[in-house]
Amino acid sequence: MANQPTLKTERLELRPFHLSDAKRVQELCGDRRIADTTLHIPHPYEDGMAEEWIATHRPKWAEGSEVTFAVTYPHEREVIGAVGVRLEPAHHRGELGYWVGLPYWGRGIATEAAGEVLRFAFADLRLNRVYATYVPRNPASGRVMEKLGMQREGYLRSHAFARGIYEDLILFGIIAADRTA
Ligand SMILES: CC(C)(COP(=O)(O)OP(=O)(O)OC[C@H]1O[C@@H](n2cnc3c(N)ncnc32)[C@H](O)[C@@H]1OP(=O)(O)O)[C@@H](O)C(=O)NCCC(=O)NCCS
């Protein structure tokens, strides 16, 4: 497998994470408002967790099970967010996920970064379907999915168990045929 590429958009550079990003990841993900609406980000975000997470990226890319990009402004290079796709190669399918650091919310960053990762997923990884879910108390994420051209496909009651509670999830998806229609 070739190395994970770096992607570019008008304002952003999406690159693989480096271990040297760990402190910054801990700083941004340490805010409860990031953990609260995601299913996999722990809170509190303790020392070593970011290093552990970043260390999984290269093997997961190599085995084709997941791709994760650090979102950066090219002139600053410091991480401002992350976008990833968990891959299910047997089905040519992936699950999109993202977070953006609090100081950068409301600038269209998630939409711009995830839009480019979607393009990469369909064009380069040759996926046929990408889906994503969000908790109902996170309408901003639903809006991002709408802006990405994804369609609402369902409401999954008590679908996830996270931090001691069952979470309803709203399911959005997009398929390759939608993008050429
Ligand atoms: C959800 C998240 C990624 C959005 O990032 P962002 O860079 O601010 O997103 P964008 O600026 O691209 O788009 C946000 C959209 O939501 C809208 N929005 C914000 N708050 C909203 C609310 N309470 N209700 C409805 N829409 C809302 C914004 O107005 C914007 O839409 P617009 O362009 O039509 O005005 C960010 O808030 C985040 O990281 N949250 C914590 C982690 C998380 O929830 N990740 C997603 C898990 S599914």
Side-chain angles (χ1 to χ4, degrees):
M1 174 78 87
N3 285 339
Q4 181 182 336
T6 291
L7 310 176
K8 287 185 171 49
T9 68
E10 200 179 318
R11 291 180 295 168
L12 306 170
E13 189 168 283
L14 313 181
R15 59 158 173 82
F17 275 92
H18 311 308
L19 272 182
S20 55
D21 297 319
K23 195 167 171 296
R24 175 70 170 169
V25 168
Q26 183 179 15
E27 195 180 293
L28 295 178
C29 286
D31 193 301
R32 179 173 260 296
R33 285 164 289 183
I34 296 286
D36 179 54
T37 50
T38 54
L39 297 176
H40 306 294
I41 297 177
H43 191 82
Y45 204 96
E46 285 164 359
D47 288 351
M49 286 177 168
E51 285 85 350
E52 219 172 279
W53 178 62
I54 292 168
T56 65
H57 294 181
R58 198 192 279 260
K60 285 186 172 180
W61 166 261
E63 73 187 18
S65 63
E66 194 162 325
V67 58
T68 306
F69 290 96
V71 180
T72 65
Y73 282 126
H75 52 279
E76 290 173 13
R77 301 213 47 86
E78 207 168 39
V79 172
I80 61 173
V83 181
V85 185
R86 199 170 52 81
L87 300 165
E88 295 161 277
H91 301 283
H92 304 172
R93 181 173 78 199
E95 179 179 8
L96 178 71
Y98 44 76
W99 57 264
V100 169
L102 228 81
Y104 307 94
W105 284 12
R107 299 185 191 178
I109 302 290
T111 308
E112 186 170 327
E116 174 58 16
V117 173
L118 270 188
R119 186 208 59 73
F120 172 73
F122 284 108
D124 298 344
L125 301 181
R126 303 266 171 204
L127 297 191
N128 180 57
R129 167 174 168 77
V130 176
Y131 67 98
T133 61
Y134 69 94
V135 293
R137 64 175 176 282
N138 190 17
S141 187
R143 180 72 190 124
V144 170
M145 291 176 200
E146 274 173 14
K147 290 194 289 177
L148 291 172
M150 302 175 83
Q151 293 181 23
R152 183 176 160 135
E153 296 179 335
Y155 189 97
L156 312 175
R157 293 179 304 150
S158 290
H159 193 70
F161 184 68
R163 283 178 282 274
I165 56 167
Y166 292 107
E167 296 275 15
D168 294 349
L169 297 180
I170 298 170
L171 171 67
F172 269 66
I174 183 166
I175 61 173
D178 295 338
R179 297 175 61 88
T180 51

